[in-house]
Amino acid sequence: MTTSAEPTCVVVMGVSGAGKSTVARALADRLAWPLAEADEFHPPANIAKMSAGTPLTDADRAPWLAAIRDWITARAAAGESTVVTCSALKRTYRDVLREAGARVRFLHLDGTADVIGDRLRHRSGHFMPPSLLRSQFDALEPLRPDEDGAAVGVADPPELIAEHAVTRLDLPVGNPATP
């Protein structure tokens, strides 16, 4: 089990529809860590672009990634480990997040375009249309061996995926301040 005093951030990453929000919520509950949804850091212009079916550019993503990184750093400065949802599709995006003042680790929710596309078609209330899924898979650069993280399949229920994450990333379960 991880015993480092350094705050950790687990970034639950993957394409839209992979289950980032649901798995991150289960993982944050299991670890008793605060959770941040990366979608809440998007400026209105990014949301408008995606809602219109236009993929974001790297320039569009730069301030968004910096805001997430800064949130991780602020929580780490307060001594808190965190869980964050973020597509983090490219290594360069993950590099920005790794600049945070915490140990940033990645949990890649990995699934096929068919499985995830079916999920997107049945999801409501989200600004990301299914038509952008192909662009996300095209941009996706899976974790490399030198990156701190693990990939897990999306077929299992969210609670089981969170359990796999705890095991694969050797994360402490529960609040260490709790007896």
Side-chain angles (χ1 to χ4, degrees), residues 9-64:
C9 176
V10 176
V11 176
V12 180
M13 62 168 281
V15 298
S16 185
K20 294 183 297 290
S21 294
T22 305
V23 169
R25 214 170 288 113
L27 184 59
D29 288 348
R30 186 171 177 89
L31 298 171
W33 291 358
L35 168 66
E37 289 279 349
D39 287 346
E40 296 173 9
F41 293 83
H42 273 300
N46 283 9
I47 292 172
K49 232 178 154 173
M50 289 183 285
S51 296
T54 305
L56 297 180
T57 65
D58 288 351
D60 294 328
R61 287 184 179 94
W64 171 66

Side-chain angles (χ1 to χ4, degrees), residues 112-130:
T112 67
D114 287 340
V115 167
I116 294 173
D118 186 58
R119 288 181 178 184
L120 282 178
R121 283 187 291 281
H122 293 94
R123 179 167 78 173
S124 62
H126 195 274
F127 57 81
M128 179 75 163

